[in-house]
Amino acid sequence: MRLLVFLIICQYAIHSVKSHSASNPNVILLMADDLGIGDLGCYGNRTLRTPNIDKLAEEGVTLTQHIAASPLCTPSRAAFLTGRYPIRSGMASFSRVGVFLFSASSGGLPSEEITFSKLLKQRGYATALIGKWHLGMNCESSNDFCHHPLSHGFDYFYGLTMTNFRDCKPGQGSVFLKGVQKTLVIPIQIAGVTLVSLAIVQYIGLLKVPFQALGYCLIITAISLAVLIFFFYHFRHLNCFLMRDHQIIQQPLSYENLTQRLTKEAVQFIGRNTDTPFLLVLSYLHVHTALYASENFRGKSKHGLYGDAVEEMDWSVGQILDVLEKYNLTDKTLVYFTSDQGAHVEEISSSGEVHGGYNGIYKGGKSMNWEGGIRVPGLLRWPGVVQAGAYIHEPTSNMDIFPTIVKLAKAQLPSDRIIDGHDLMPLLQGKVTRSKHEFLFHYCNAYLNAVRWHPGNSESIWKAFFFTPNFSPEDSNGCYDSHVCFCHGGFITRHDPPLLFDLSRDPEEKVPLTPETESRFYEVLRVIHLAVDNHTRSLHAAPDQLSWDNLLWKPWLQLCCSSLFQSCYCDHDSEGSLLEMHSG
């Protein structure tokens, strides 16, 4: 009898431990920037070495149809943090520019939005964001930090509030120069011709123009040009800086051992929180241009600097997994790896070296809703809880992370708003075989571009395009003339009826279906149009965070660690000793 009681107590204790570990786990979310799904060994790459990321696949679940909510950084990351389509939070642009370009812009993730970091922090989690943010910083003054990570549920921040630009690294060219030249040359020519013409007609007496008016026009034009030249000449200092919490610690950013520094911060955060549940978002700068790699990795891969950067990021992932092992946290930690969108196929250096990644068999890339732009790596590992070595081919979304980890932390999902993501745990544990995403809506900025439909009684995955980008050159796989594809006007071709594909038969989106080749053609489009109507009715107007007013550089919002006249220079990060790490 005593033995029976003892066994019952033991069984209860074991069950309690299991249920405790299956709730309130530590959460590590690893996000690459512009990484192609075809860049990783676990997704079929045979020439890049990614053993640590591949280990996550071997010991966890590989999502083969994991979809980014947007093919651009800012809206994709907003959706990831909130579990909502970016159009709902005003984080989808109606203009050509779909991301924040300047640190002193006033747009950003609205304070009314509820992030998973806010909810986990309320549940007692230690929370940190290390790396790239790209969701705004200030609203009305240079120290209100209304959009800053610390205002969105993170206790600790070390990284960039902006993104990694070519302009941030001397010698890597500029993402702005071509656009500025195209945009400003004609207005400057018009202004110049107008002023000269006015001066001539004044001189020959055909028209009386007050000299004062001419003078004002000349002064305004000169000041505007001077401000523009000053801004772009100092772009690196004004926009490329490293912060710890609210303090700039390096301006401009140095790429020397940058991945090692980000990794050191992540390792130290884990070390400080071995006895409390924690949320760590490690948001890599790799492999967005400007590309960089430290001395231990430079020149070591088979794919130039891009390959070196991928392999250095994989090393960093290994360091994170090692520190979990060191502190016996592996079984208590859910680890997720993804990319914010697909590889930027148009990225080619001035010397002709390919600086963009590989999207495998999938068409297009970053800024497009072809599969190459939105189908991203999705790896989840949690030993003993999530299946090991499993593959899930159902449609999933980066918005699903929000409800998944919120539920695991026993926090309440918001009831006052629509959450578009779904809890992944039933799929990951093999309790269900079908995704809850019957429909996924693919936006190009604020414009509904395509819809994916996975009927519950079918293996088909229908995808309908209402418009597609015009590739340049026409026979290429991207918009090389403009560096990225745009979403409206002469940059797109509209389709009526929509282009229709069945991704289960044609994942490369090579041959659009027709009423002659697909008997259900009109029925499929009818259902998709009904879904669009329902989705559209669920949308409510939100302030446009990417309007021109919110995108433009505002000098009064500019952060500077010295003074503007001292070129905004400081370097407090290199003064500390760096953690000694070897590449293994």
Side-chain angles (χ1 to χ4, degrees):
M1 185 64 184
R2 285 181 183 175
L3 180 62
L4 182 61
V5 171
F6 176 73
L7 288 172
I8 291 169
I9 291 169
C10 285
Q11 192 173 8
Y12 176 78
I14 289 165
H15 182 266
S16 296
V17 169
K18 282 232 171 196
S19 54
H20 173 72
S21 68
S23 63
N24 298 307
N26 303 312
V27 178
I28 296 180
L29 308 176
L30 306 167
M31 179 172 276
D33 197 353
D34 291 2
L35 182 74
I37 195 170
D39 288 327
L40 301 176
C42 51
Y43 283 95
N45 193 296
R46 295 291 168 261
T47 52
L48 278 172
R49 295 165 296 187
T50 56
N52 297 299
I53 297 171
D54 297 346
K55 184 181 178 184
L56 290 174
E58 290 161 17
E59 298 176 357
V61 170
T62 301
L63 305 174
T64 63
Q65 197 182 165
H66 195 45
I67 307 301
S70 171
L72 281 176
C73 307
T74 293
S76 176
R77 289 162 186 268
F80 171 64
L81 279 162
T82 63
R84 289 152 53 80
Y85 287 109
I87 189 76
R88 297 194 192 280
S89 57
M91 295 293 282
S93 172
F94 288 90
S95 68
R96 185 187 299 188
V97 180
V99 300
F100 295 116
L101 300 175
F102 312 124
S103 67
S105 297
S106 57
L109 188 63
S111 55
E112 300 79 28
E113 285 300 310
I114 298 173
T115 59
F116 53 63
S117 42
K118 279 182 184 175
L119 294 176
L120 266 65
K121 183 176 180 178
Q122 288 170 9
R123 292 288 301 156
Y125 274 67
T127 57
L129 173 73
I130 292 167
K132 170 176 168 173
W133 175 240
H134 209 184
L135 293 170
M137 183 160 54
N138 293 312
C139 289
E140 295 177 356
S141 69
S142 62
N143 61 357
D144 63 34
F145 299 112
C146 64
H147 302 307
H148 189 278
L150 298 194
S151 299
H152 281 290
F154 291 102
D155 299 319
Y156 182 70
F157 172 62
Y158 174 93
L160 281 71
T161 56
M162 279 300 298
T163 187
N164 177 23
F165 287 118
R166 281 191 177 276
D167 304 68
C168 294
K169 194 177 180 203
Q172 293 296 304
S174 171
V175 296
F176 293 105
L177 203 55
K178 190 185 285 187
V180 168
Q181 286 170 341
K182 276 186 178 181
T183 307
L184 293 181
V185 165
I186 292 174
I188 287 170
Q189 287 175 340
I190 291 170
V193 168
T194 302
L195 284 170
V196 169
S197 302
L198 286 172
I200 289 170
V201 297
Q202 166 79 14
Y203 180 75
I204 61 178
L206 286 175
L207 186 68
K208 290 288 181 187
V209 181
F211 276 107
Q212 201 173 11
L214 273 176
Y216 282 140
C217 288
L218 200 59
I219 289 167
I220 289 167
T221 304
I223 289 172
S224 300
L225 273 174
V227 168
L228 205 64
I229 290 165
F230 169 84
F231 177 77
F232 283 106
Y233 182 76
H234 291 281
F235 181 92
R236 178 168 165 250
H237 289 78
L238 297 177
N239 295 284
C240 312
F241 51 77
L242 191 65
M243 296 186 82
R244 177 175 281 114
D245 294 335
H246 291 141
Q247 191 74 33
I248 294 179
I249 56 173
Q250 193 174 62
Q251 190 173 16
L253 171 73
S254 167
Y255 287 87
E256 190 68 28
N257 294 317
L258 181 54
T259 301
Q260 279 81 351
R261 285 182 276 153
L262 295 172
T263 307
K264 171 191 173 182
E265 290 284 339
V267 166
Q268 289 181 339
F269 173 77
I270 294 169
R272 290 195 300 269
N273 293 286
T274 55
D275 297 323
T276 187
F278 63 80
L279 164 70
L280 168 63
V281 180
L282 177 49
S283 176
Y284 290 103
L285 273 64
H286 287 318
V287 278
H288 196 294
T289 51
L291 294 178
Y292 67 96
S294 62
E295 195 176 339
N296 286 343
F297 296 91
R298 209 173 299 134
K300 302 292 172 62
S301 79
K302 294 180 180 178
H303 291 281
L305 189 53
Y306 183 89
D308 300 343
V310 172
E311 293 187 358
E312 181 171 46
M313 178 173 60
D314 180 78
W315 163 84
S316 173
V317 171
Q319 297 295 302
I320 302 303
L321 301 184
D322 286 349
V323 80
L324 290 178
E325 200 68 42
K326 174 184 171 184
Y327 292 120
N328 296 315
L329 295 174
T330 300
D331 293 347
K332 302 172 188 170
T333 306
L334 173 66
V335 180
Y336 167 71
F337 180 90
T338 193
S339 176
D340 55 357
Q341 65 263 327
H344 192 171
V345 295
E346 297 96 343
E347 273 291 5
I348 297 172
S349 74
S350 53
S351 62
E353 183 181 347
V354 174
H355 278 189
Y358 176 52
N359 292 317
I361 65 169
Y362 302 111
K363 185 174 182 175
K366 177 178 179 174
S367 82
M368 311 172 224
N369 280 305
W370 295 113
E371 289 294 283
I374 54 176
R375 195 180 288 224
V376 292
L379 305 171
L380 293 108
R381 186 193 79 167
W382 185 3
V385 180
V386 165
Q387 306 171 82
Y391 288 83
I392 293 174
H393 305 295
E394 289 287 292
T396 57
S397 168
N398 66 348
M399 296 183 291
D400 296 338
I401 297 304
F402 179 97
T404 302
I405 65 174
V406 166
K407 285 187 178 181
L408 286 170
K410 295 198 180 311
Q412 288 293 314
L413 284 171
S415 57
D416 64 340
R417 64 198 65 203
I418 292 172
I419 301 297
D420 297 297
H422 295 293
D423 182 9
L424 286 172
M425 288 307 292
L427 265 178
L428 299 177
Q429 294 182 295
K431 293 177 180 176
V432 300
T433 57
R434 301 290 293 200
S435 166
K436 286 187 179 177
H437 287 292
E438 184 180 359
F439 297 97
L440 280 169
F441 301 93
H442 306 305
Y443 280 84
C444 186
N445 287 353
Y447 305 100
L448 185 59
N449 186 183
V451 177
R452 179 182 310 248
W453 177 35
H454 184 33
N457 58 353
S458 167
E459 293 306 308
S460 290
I461 296 160
W462 307 103
K463 188 176 176 188
F465 279 91
F466 305 115
F467 63 85
T468 50
N470 298 329
F471 285 171
S472 53
E474 274 186 38
D475 58 349
S476 69
N477 188 40
C479 303
Y480 289 85
D481 292 349
S482 53
H483 191 64
V484 291
C485 294
F486 296 115
C487 303
H488 60 282
F491 298 103
I492 62 169
T493 298
R494 297 191 179 278
H495 303 286
D496 187 14
L499 289 188
L500 183 65
F501 300 90
D502 181 357
L503 299 178
S504 68
R505 291 177 281 167
D506 181 17
E508 298 169 65
E509 298 169 298
K510 277 186 173 178
V511 185
L513 299 168
T514 65
E516 290 72 40
T517 60
E518 176 50 63
S519 60
R520 294 162 290 179
F521 184 84
Y522 289 112
E523 175 61 18
V524 169
L525 290 181
R526 185 186 71 79
V527 174
I528 285 174
H529 281 301
L530 281 173
V532 169
D533 289 343
N534 288 332
H535 170 68
T536 305
R537 279 197 295 272
S538 78
L539 300 176
H540 302 287
D544 183 1
Q545 298 297 322
L546 288 146
S547 65
W548 283 113
D549 177 52
N550 279 326
L551 282 172
L552 290 174
W553 178 58
K554 296 182 170 71
W556 59 93
L557 298 183
Q558 184 63 56
L559 276 187
C560 206
C561 63
S562 54
S563 77
L564 210 56
F565 300 102
Q566 292 174 304
S567 296
C568 295
Y569 177 83
C570 65
D571 188 358
H572 307 305
D573 201 49
S574 296
E575 291 164 11
S577 61
L578 292 176
L579 187 67
E580 291 292 328
M581 294 182 179
H582 25 244
S583 57

